Amino acid sequence: MNLYKRSSEILARNRNFIPGGVVSVNRATYPEIVFVKGQGAFIWDADGNRYHDYHAAFAPHFLGHNDPYVTEAAIRVLRDGASLFGSGTTLLEGRLAELICRHVPSAESVQFLNSGSEATFQAIRLARAVTGREHIIVMQGGYNGWHNDVSCNLMTPLDQLGPRVSPGEYPYVPISAGVPAAHRQLVHPVNFNDLESVKYVCEKYSIAALITEPVLQNIGVIKPLPGYLRGLRALADRFGFVLIFDEVKTGFRHALGGYSSISGVMPDLVVFGKALANGYPIAGLGGKRELMQWFVHPDPSKRVLLAGTYNAHPVPTAAAIATIERLLMNDGEVYRHVESLGHHIQTGLERMIPRMGLKAVVAREGSAFCLYFMDHCPVDWHDLATHHDFGLDEMMRKRLVEGGVYFFPHPAKQCSISFAHTQGDIQYTLERIEMSLIQGKIGMCRSESRHSA
Ligand SMILES: Cc1ncc(COP(=O)(O)O)c(C=O)c1O
């Protein structure tokens, strides 16, 4: 039986008008499913199949899909006659900025853009303007958006990357065609959790900025080792580069104050997106006031251009305000709930691993988790790429999707729990994971015996 008949028809039709049939190429995956509805912890496809959702559209839906409080705020702002005026400030953007500056210690002042990529672009440009330098450091295995400086070195195959380098840097391996060669010379990818490599690069080049997710969450969940973020702060102070925390995935999901408030390490600039507005398109760039003031520098030759027709559009701005209000309610209720769900899935998986005789570990930060099929939590991409069983991971995810639990069906991608999930959902998910792995093992044995026959 074809579970995805209607999805296939829609995709075939869209292929006539959209290259590949899908907008945003990272959404193209197998099985090819067209989703039509999301509510709370669930999504539904065009064929009427329902899924427990742990993809959360690459993580923004921290409260769950169509959270009633946020949806109502978005509807209300339109009903009240708000529009995009494109001249002067607005009450809404002031209210959102004030909320962020009050609750996020790393943001003394803040600007708004439409996407995480726009915000990381502006953060890097600002760092170059302030320091008068051009080179930047990025993390192998980090993702910071689609623009030339950062569209590189994500899940780079080891045959392109070569052996592990430390201290040192990896070659710039683009994840997009069209990046000018000259541009690539300015970008230096290093291992996450590797202070010696940052020092090495700083001694060789004049570094404007280092940008990193404080927890690498585009290759699962790779946490900073004790002292790593503090070490980055010390190197930034020593070598004079701007430390940028890309909190597009960690911000608001792990704490209202961002991961910097958990780690106690303050970057110079910080970028937010995703969970900030629970799925509506808005991003924030904040940081030290003296740096942010360069957007309005009195000397026009030093002023950094920050402009955008849709910046702080009233609908996503109202959604972001409502999201923060929701996160503030009942003394941190949202964070307590997702932490207890995260603990439930982690302990459930950790009991399952020896029972099934698996080589696997669970990496988790609050509501974000990843099951790695290797004997230790990876410390960086090279470690992960060397040791993780990608085949088993992909097989498990595909079987989960068939069984109605949506883990993004690509190995080593983060799973995101939302406030809308329940303990019952987690228990069901654990059962489905176990079943998927059992079915997978049986499938593998069958194919092995077929091969040997
Ligand atoms: C850590 C991080 N930074 C930046 C981005 C880019 O954000 P956007 O897709 O909104 O441009 C992403 C997107 O996944 C991300 O995960």
Side-chain angles (χ1 to χ4, degrees), residues 117-395:
S117 300
E118 290 176 38
T120 56
F121 179 96
Q122 287 291 354
I124 292 169
R125 179 190 262 178
L126 178 60
R128 286 185 169 134
V130 169
T131 59
R133 307 174 184 173
E134 295 193 340
H135 291 260
I136 65 162
I137 298 175
V138 299
M139 294 301 142
Q140 173 64 53
Y143 181 67
N144 311 109
W146 43 250
H147 50 93
N148 288 347
D149 277 319
V150 292
S151 53
C152 62
N153 298 73
L154 180 52
M155 291 178 150
T156 319
L158 288 185
D159 56 359
Q160 285 179 46
L161 205 56
R164 183 188 180 77
V165 176
S166 178
E169 61 178 302
Y170 291 106
Y172 180 109
V173 183
I175 53 173
S176 169
V179 179
H183 205 97
R184 299 180 196 186
Q185 311 306 318
L186 301 176
V187 181
H188 306 279
V190 299
N191 296 310
F192 189 66
N193 275 323
D194 180 358
L195 293 171
E196 283 308 308
S197 286
V198 174
K199 187 162 156 276
Y200 169 93
V201 173
C202 286
E203 280 165 354
K204 264 183 98 171
Y205 309 94
S206 198
I207 299 296
L210 179 150
I211 183 163
T212 185
E213 301 167 69
V215 181
L216 288 193
Q217 286 188 200
N218 280 280
I219 50 171
V221 177
I222 298 193
K223 295 208 211 185
L225 293 172
Y228 174 63
L229 297 178
R230 199 161 297 286
L232 288 182
R233 179 68 270 169
L235 288 171
D237 294 339
R238 174 168 159 204
F239 288 98
F241 63 78
V242 174
L243 181 61
I244 305 169
F245 279 178
D246 177 347
E247 295 231 39
V248 166
K249 273 197 154 175
T250 53
F252 299 94
R253 179 170 280 279
H254 298 327
L256 196 51
Y259 196 79
S260 51
S261 73
I262 296 175
S263 67
V265 178
M266 290 301 130
D268 299 300
L269 294 175
V270 62
V271 176
F272 297 107
K274 304 220 182 213
L276 165 60
N278 202 51
Y280 286 83
I282 188 166
L285 163 57
K288 292 188 174 153
R289 192 180 301 278
E290 70 200 82
L291 302 191
M292 295 294 289
Q293 285 299 107
W294 281 62
F295 287 123
V296 287
H297 202 290
D299 176 349
S301 70
K302 294 187 171 161
R303 199 175 302 151
V304 178
L305 174 65
L306 191 150
T309 301
Y310 297 110
N311 288 2
H313 184 283
V315 172
T317 307
I321 292 169
T323 302
I324 296 176
E325 285 172 353
R326 189 69 195 83
L327 296 177
L328 283 165
M329 278 177 204
N330 303 326
D331 196 23
E333 170 198 26
V334 170
Y335 293 106
R336 280 195 304 280
H337 181 61
V338 297
E339 172 56 31
S340 99
L341 298 176
H343 179 74
H344 185 166
I345 202 139
Q346 178 169 3
T347 50
L349 288 170
E350 284 172 351
R351 277 196 288 267
M352 185 188 305
I353 290 166
R355 192 165 66 233
M356 296 196 63
L358 290 168
K359 184 164 72 173
V361 284
V362 185
R364 178 176 76 92
E365 178 63 42
S367 59
F369 70 95
C370 188
L371 179 61
Y372 292 108
F373 294 101
M374 52 194 279
D375 65 4
H376 60 280
C377 284
V379 294
D380 59 35
W381 167 249
H382 214 285
D383 186 15
L384 194 172
T386 307
H387 297 107
H388 180 51
D389 186 338
F390 285 75
L392 181 56
D393 189 357
E394 185 165 343
M395 182 282 301

